[in-house]
Amino acid sequence: MITKDEVLELLTSTETYRVERTISTGNMDKFCEAICAFANDMPNSRKNGYLIIGAHDDGKLSGLKVDDALMKKISGIRSDGNILPLPTMSVDRFVFPEGDLLVAEVRPSDLPPVRYRGRAFIRIGPRRDIATEAEERILAERRCSFMATFDATPCLNAKLEDLDVDYIKNTYLPKFLDEDTLTADKRDIKEQLASIHLYDRENDCPTYAGIILFGTNPKYFLLGDYVQFVRFAGKDKGGDILNERQFSGPLYKMLPALESFVKDGIITQRPVPESLFREKTVWNYPEGAIRELMMNACMHRDYQSNMPIRLYQFDNYIEIMNAGGLYGEARPENFPSVNDYRNPLVAEAMRVMKYVNKFNRGVTRVQEMLKENGNTPAVFDVNTITAFRVTVQATNEADLSKGTSQGTSQGTSQDDKTIEEKIIEFCKEPRSLAEITAFCGFQDKRKFRERYLNPLLGTRIQMTIPDKPTSRFQKYLKK
């Protein structure tokens, strides 16, 4: 809060864009408009604004006596709901021989434009006015620049000692910066980390990106920051648990551990006859596809959630689920063509460490690798707001032995009865048309629905939203 000496300086200050003096005590509209204008900080000075009640324009005191009722009235402006977003302000009384002053100190908002009863007010020098459309656009753009992603925010309870500084200095920075730049950089480690957004200078603590990537114990600060693997017997979660593991720690340690586990603990290979005298080796899942999906889960997950990344393996498929649905510009209708990053600092560090490439080719590459291995396309559930799920079917040994696969296109002949049984089995949990079509190895959703799904409706399959058959959120469930 401002001091008494600083108040005296403000009475004669020439910085009129951040000071408003008035002798009025009852013009609430005037007070609210002034507070709104200070919060918008149109000059972008990032300096606090001051509404001074009890002083003339020339700085002379009016002889006002500030009582508790006036203090409460001005303090109530902050939370009465007329100014949104709520301003950050404080109110204090200063007593002088010539009279009292009531000073409302207003901090520039990080979320402009701030509006009073729907209108955005700004300061133009000593004058207060309503923002034009162009000025509102400037404030809106400034809002975007102030809104840091979660991984860029400070982890206030952490200290430098909570980072593996030796690894960062000896291994990560040489990958991030070229040798000449690193040799010439004589700054201390905090300044170096701050320059790549792993440390917050203002709060003197690591950012969440630093903790996630290089923390000595990330789970202490982020309870859901781990991967849970469960191997179920059978085809659903009702089966016995055959194996269970947890992977935690900073990403620079956890990612290679996950890579090794996927290769040795999930991927299996077997010979399949191609002819009477020749065999070929096939895998239940292509290693590169599962690796890509796990890297994407670690990169795009919502680290504020307490839900871990779930890697569940069943007899004939794998399910990967992570907290946080599609983010930013990515929408169900444009996925996977459009991509966005919930954790851009984490994504950039993973690129530097060669785990991802950030070319927006992840989903395409996964589908290509699955097709080459004889798997059906991966099914992405992108309609859930708070989570992202992908399902990958294992290769079908019977089909492979005949030279075909579950990834067969619609032109390959298949037994209709077998397809109906697959649909019913798959719909033990609610499934979308896209999921069912991909699971059965087809591409044309409209023809698949007409030929296979519609005949089952009402007898073996039911809609989850029966009153809206064409809803984009429609799913199908076994009766």
Side-chain angles (χ1 to χ4, degrees):
M1 183 63 191
I2 192 172
T3 65
K4 197 169 185 177
D5 291 338
E6 290 172 331
V7 170
L8 293 175
E9 292 180 12
L10 286 175
L11 289 175
T12 56
S13 172
T14 58
E15 292 183 312
T16 52
Y17 66 87
R18 56 190 290 256
V19 181
E20 179 155 340
R21 312 171 190 88
T22 180
I23 60 173
S24 171
T25 59
N27 192 341
M28 293 300 291
D29 281 337
K30 178 179 181 179
F31 301 155
C32 291
E33 290 171 6
I35 290 170
C36 176
F38 289 138
N40 278 322
D41 186 28
M42 189 65 200
N44 199 23
S45 66
R46 304 307 295 166
K47 295 181 179 179
N48 292 349
Y50 298 92
L51 171 64
I52 303 177
I53 300 175
H56 294 278
D57 289 340
D58 59 4
K60 293 182 179 179
L61 276 61
S62 65
L64 174 70
K65 295 299 179 182
V66 177
D67 56 16
D68 289 342
L70 181 60
M71 287 278 291
K72 291 178 180 179
K73 184 167 67 172
I74 302 303
S75 299
I77 291 174
R78 177 194 172 277
S79 54
D80 64 6
N82 289 319
I83 302 178
L84 295 173
L86 297 181
T88 301
M89 57 178 284
S90 58
V91 177
D92 206 353
R93 172 175 48 198
F94 296 90
V95 179
F96 297 94
E98 301 87 348
D100 299 347
L101 291 178
L102 191 154
V103 180
E105 183 176 17
V106 184
R107 179 179 174 179
S109 174
D110 289 339
L111 301 172
V114 177
R115 303 177 189 277
Y116 170 57
R117 292 183 175 175
R119 295 184 295 178
F121 289 87
I122 59 172
R123 297 284 294 189
I124 306 173
R127 188 169 63 89
R128 181 179 66 253
D129 206 345
I130 298 173
T132 64
E133 184 177 342
E135 288 164 338
E136 280 204 31
R137 186 169 63 250
I138 292 172
L139 292 174
E141 291 173 352
R142 193 179 297 165
R143 177 190 187 122
C144 295
S145 67
F146 290 149
M147 292 178 67
T149 54
F150 173 72
D151 61 348
T153 58
C155 183
L156 297 176
N157 295 328
K159 300 179 180 179
L160 182 65
E161 293 75 24
D162 292 308
L163 298 179
D164 190 339
V165 176
D166 289 339
Y167 178 86
I168 297 173
K169 291 172 64 175
N170 300 325
T171 306
Y172 181 71
L173 287 180
K175 293 180 180 178
F176 193 92
L177 303 170
D178 62 78
E179 186 178 350
D180 292 340
T181 302
L182 197 58
T183 303
D185 190 352
K186 303 301 181 183
R187 296 175 296 177
D188 64 34
I189 187 62
K190 289 184 178 180
E191 289 296 321
Q192 290 180 328
L193 294 180
S195 69
I196 55 177
H197 306 290
L198 298 181
Y199 202 86
D200 186 273
R201 295 187 186 93
E202 183 175 346
N203 295 284
D204 193 25
C205 65
T207 62
Y208 277 104
I211 295 296
I212 292 166
L213 291 161
F214 308 111
T216 55
N217 185 14
K219 199 175 174 183
Y220 177 82
F221 302 99
L222 302 162
L223 297 180
D225 187 10
Y226 64 98
V227 176
Q228 179 188 61
F229 168 78
V230 182
R231 172 64 168 99
F232 293 93
K235 300 180 180 180
D236 56 45
K237 297 181 182 73
D240 293 336
I241 295 177
L242 302 180
N243 189 15
E244 187 272 337
R245 286 190 62 177
Q246 283 191 11
F247 298 87
S248 60
L251 287 186
Y252 88 87
K253 288 184 177 179
M254 187 168 69
L255 295 181
L258 276 174
E259 278 189 310
S260 177
F261 177 75
V262 166
K263 181 178 180 180
D264 300 329
I266 295 179
I267 306 302
T268 62
Q269 64 183 47
R270 63 186 184 274
V272 173
E274 281 191 310
S275 65
L276 186 60
F277 300 106
R278 187 167 57 187
E279 293 180 339
K280 70 174 181 179
T281 300
V282 296
W283 291 262
N284 56 346
Y285 306 99
E287 179 187 340
I290 304 302
R291 175 195 179 278
E292 184 78 27
L293 292 173
M294 288 306 302
M295 295 301 121
N296 284 345
C298 293
M299 179 170 59
H300 292 294
R301 70 153 294 170
D302 179 2
Y303 281 93
Q304 298 180 78
S305 171
N306 292 330
M307 168 186 163
I309 296 173
R310 295 174 180 171
L311 172 58
Y312 289 171
Q313 184 179 6
F314 303 88
D315 284 355
N316 62 338
Y317 71 97
I318 281 178
E319 179 181 283
I320 300 170
M321 179 181 288
N322 64 305
L326 295 178
Y327 178 80
E329 298 300 320
R331 300 283 191 276
E333 57 271 20
N334 62 28
F335 177 85
S337 302
V338 176
N339 190 25
D340 208 338
Y341 293 95
R342 176 179 277 104
N343 307 299
L345 300 182
V346 172
E348 177 61 19
M350 289 178 65
R351 184 195 66 80
V352 171
M353 293 187 287
K354 309 299 183 184
Y355 287 109
V356 297
N357 54 41
K358 294 182 68 176
F359 295 151
N360 193 26
R361 291 187 62 244
V363 174
T364 303
R365 291 183 67 245
V366 165
Q367 302 292 33
E368 289 174 353
M369 286 185 280
L370 290 171
K371 183 177 180 181
E372 291 174 3
N373 192 61
N375 302 78
T376 58
V379 177
F380 294 88
D381 184 355
V382 296
N383 291 312
T384 306
I385 297 174
T386 58
F388 184 93
R389 181 174 66 181
V390 56
T391 305
V392 181
Q393 295 291 319
T395 52
N396 186 303
E397 187 170 351
D399 286 342
L400 284 168
S401 65
K402 294 183 290 186
T404 62
S405 73
Q406 282 187 314
T408 315
S409 66
Q410 191 171 347
T412 303
S413 65
Q414 302 185 57
D415 183 79
D416 289 358
K417 186 176 180 180
T418 302
I419 294 174
E420 291 176 358
E421 291 173 352
K422 289 174 67 175
I423 293 172
I424 295 166
E425 177 70 20
F426 189 56
C427 289
K428 285 183 177 180
E429 296 182 7
R431 307 287 187 177
S432 66
L433 174 61
E435 289 177 310
I436 301 170
T437 305
F439 176 77
C440 293
F442 287 77
Q443 297 175 354
D444 192 317
K445 291 185 291 186
R446 182 180 63 82
K447 292 183 179 180
F448 176 82
R449 179 172 55 192
E450 292 174 356
R451 180 173 177 180
Y452 298 106
L453 197 59
N454 287 347
L456 296 175
L457 286 175
T459 56
R460 310 290 299 278
I461 298 292
Q462 61 184 345
M463 294 182 180
T464 56
I465 315 176
D467 55 329
K468 296 181 180 179
T470 59
S471 170
R472 66 190 183 96
F473 300 109
Q474 185 67 261
K475 293 192 176 184
Y476 300 87
L477 182 65
K478 178 182 178 182
K479 292 192 71 174

